[in-house]
Amino acid sequence: QVQLVESGGGLVQAGGSLRLSCKPSGTIFSINAMAWYRQAPGKQRELVASITNRGSTNYADSVKGRFTISRDYAKNTVYLQMDSLKSEDTAVYYCNTQGRPASWAPREDYWGQGTQVTVSS
């Protein structure tokens, strides 16, 4: 099965930066938006940022002004630039999209396995 593959997580001190990336392991057809979610211990998964196939972006209030989502449309790759990181940003970050396993198939959800981001204070 085609999955999304994430990279770029790690350990960083408060105030530092990380850049996450995510791309499909194979071909996904008809992608129209991509997004980043995160889940901290003891908390529900939350939407961090999203970007449409037209470049429109949305951000959670907690990351506005600090995180930037971008996308390489030709490669179906999404990035999350994280600046001014806080300890509260510590979580497993997941990328997500919707698309088709074949051009004729129904749309499905696709998820990455997650990448750990740990911010020390």
Side-chain angles (χ1 to χ4, degrees):
Q1 296 291 328
V2 174
Q3 294 183 327
L4 302 178
V5 181
E6 301 136 335
S7 62
L11 281 69
V12 65
Q13 293 183 337
S17 298
L18 286 173
R19 190 190 192 205
L20 308 182
S21 63
C22 172
K23 66 183 300 183
S25 63
T27 300
I28 299 175
F29 297 86
S30 303
I31 290 175
N32 58 10
M34 302 187 81
W36 287 97
Y37 290 77
R38 68 185 181 187
Q39 186 167 19
K43 298 183 65 177
Q44 287 283 89
R45 183 183 63 183
E46 65 172 342
L47 177 64
V48 177
S50 64
I51 183 168
T52 72
N53 61 344
R54 298 182 180 180
S56 297
T57 58
N58 287 304
Y59 296 92
D61 288 342
S62 59
V63 306
K64 285 182 178 178
R66 300 188 298 117
F67 290 11
T68 304
I69 188 170
S70 61
R71 182 174 171 181
D72 183 331
Y73 293 92
K75 298 180 179 180
N76 284 331
T77 301
V78 65
Y79 306 91
L80 186 67
Q81 178 67 44
M82 304 184 293
D83 298 320
S84 301
L85 283 162
K86 305 174 180 180
S87 60
E88 303 95 280
D89 297 317
T90 296
V92 178
Y93 285 70
Y94 301 89
C95 59
N96 163 258
T97 192
Q98 299 81 44
R100 306 175 189 272
S103 61
W104 49 264
R107 297 181 66 80
E108 302 178 354
D109 287 340
Y110 294 85
W111 290 91
Q113 191 166 350
T115 184
Q116 177 71 50
V117 172
T118 302
V119 184
S120 61
S121 59

